Amino acid sequence: MRVPARPQIAARITPLQLQNFGFAINGVPFDPGAAEFWNNDRNWQYEAMSGAVPLGLDQNNAHVQPNGAYHYHGLPTALLARFAGATTPVLVGWAADGFPIYGPYGYLDANARNSQFVKLRSSWRLKSGTRNGGPGGRYDGSFVQDYEYSAGLGNLDECNGRSGRTAEFPAGTYYYVLTAKFPHVPRRFVGTADTSFVKQGGPHTAPGGRPPGGRPPPPGGAPGMPPPR
């Protein structure tokens, strides 16, 4: 994988597809999206960190694909434990567009390194009410589409990032942030992702080699999921 050495903010935000968002400093990719859809409808993507489908995530919010690729869907717990007690933002990786990834803590005032050091909050939230079509039911976080962006709700923007100063970038930079709550790993790029991050050989498959949407439902069933094969 390649990343730009001098990343630039693009004219428009680009949503993440079924591809790696970036990689951690230990080389493990960040791949937040699950290739699991209600009734194979791409308008309703199951959220990997919701537990709505059994993805077999380990204690690091990660798992291994049939091809042996290990990747994170959420906070890399063991990696972050190496920096327990840090009082400055921890650089944990690089995004496909070249901007750095920090988290989950940062300065309350992004440009004041003597500011209070806090756990940064996403500006995404669960929608209220019930789903209009698709699987129906209340918005409960089972699907990516259950969430909406609310500007100013947290410390971060639509891409789960912000501009500010860090030890590595004392003059300031745009940077992404991993968060404990949705989106966990950012789902949008402010820059231009390098094409080397596009997955080869088709979409991400479920453990056991099933294609997207081919996983048996969890105990008790999941509305719209196909039957066991």
Side-chain angles (χ1 to χ4, degrees), residues 32 47 49 73 122-124 158-160 177 179 181-187:
E47 166 53 33
M49 293 291 291
H73 280 280
S122 162
S123 293
W124 287 82
E158 181 182 352
C159 299
N160 228 44
V177 179
T179 50
K181 295 184 178 181
F182 186 89
H184 308 286
V185 175
R187 314 294 174 97

Side-chain angles (χ1 to χ4, degrees), residues 116-155:
Q116 184 180 359
F117 195 58
V118 299
K119 181 176 285 188
L120 298 174
R121 295 181 298 110
S122 162
S123 293
W124 287 82
R125 66 184 179 189
L126 273 177
K127 297 175 183 177
S128 60
T130 58
R131 303 182 185 100
N132 182 18
R138 295 188 63 81
Y139 294 113
D140 61 3
S142 294
F143 299 90
V144 174
Q145 291 74 25
D146 287 353
Y147 292 90
E148 63 183 0
Y149 172 65
S150 178
L153 180 65
N155 314 96

Side-chain angles (χ1 to χ4, degrees), residues 1-227:
M1 293 179 283
R2 303 178 303 270
V3 298
R6 296 177 178 83
Q8 300 291 325
I9 292 179
R12 59 177 59 87
I13 289 171
T14 304
L16 180 72
Q17 303 300 318
L18 285 176
Q19 65 186 86
N20 294 324
F21 176 77
F23 56 87
I25 56 173
N26 59 8
V28 176
F30 290 109
D31 184 6
E36 304 288 337
F37 302 90
W38 177 82
N39 273 0
N40 291 326
D41 183 347
R42 293 280 176 133
N43 294 309
W44 294 98
Q45 181 184 21
Y46 280 96
E47 166 53 33
M49 293 291 291
S50 71
V53 290
L55 295 179
L57 300 183
D58 63 17
Q59 66 269 33
N60 296 302
N61 298 310
H63 64 171
V64 178
Q65 287 300 306
N67 64 1
Y70 184 75
H71 59 265
Y72 297 120
H73 280 280
L75 291 176
T77 309
L79 175 61
L80 292 173
R82 292 168 47 187
F83 303 98
T87 56
T88 59
V90 173
L91 177 66
V92 295
W94 300 92
D97 60 6
F99 287 105
I101 304 171
Y102 287 81
Y105 293 89
Y107 301 120
L108 186 60
D109 181 338
N111 289 302
R113 294 177 62 184
N114 61 351
S115 177
Q116 184 180 359
F117 195 58
V118 299
K119 181 176 285 188
L120 298 174
R121 295 181 298 110
S122 162
S123 293
W124 287 82
R125 66 184 179 189
L126 273 177
K127 297 175 183 177
S128 60
T130 58
R131 303 182 185 100
N132 182 18
R138 295 188 63 81
Y139 294 113
D140 61 3
S142 294
F143 299 90
V144 174
Q145 291 74 25
D146 287 353
Y147 292 90
E148 63 183 0
Y149 172 65
S150 178
L153 180 65
N155 314 96
L156 307 174
D157 63 17
E158 181 182 352
C159 299
N160 228 44
R162 63 179 185 169
S163 295
R165 299 176 180 177
T166 67
E168 293 79 12
F169 298 92
T173 185
Y174 183 87
Y175 61 91
Y176 297 103
V177 179
L178 305 180
T179 50
K181 295 184 178 181
F182 186 89
H184 308 286
V185 175
R187 314 294 174 97
R188 286 164 168 73
F189 292 111
V190 296
T192 302
D194 191 89
T195 56
S196 63
F197 281 76
V198 176
K199 292 183 179 180
Q200 303 300 314
H204 179 129
T205 55
R210 290 188 181 91
R215 184 189 310 283
M225 290 295 285

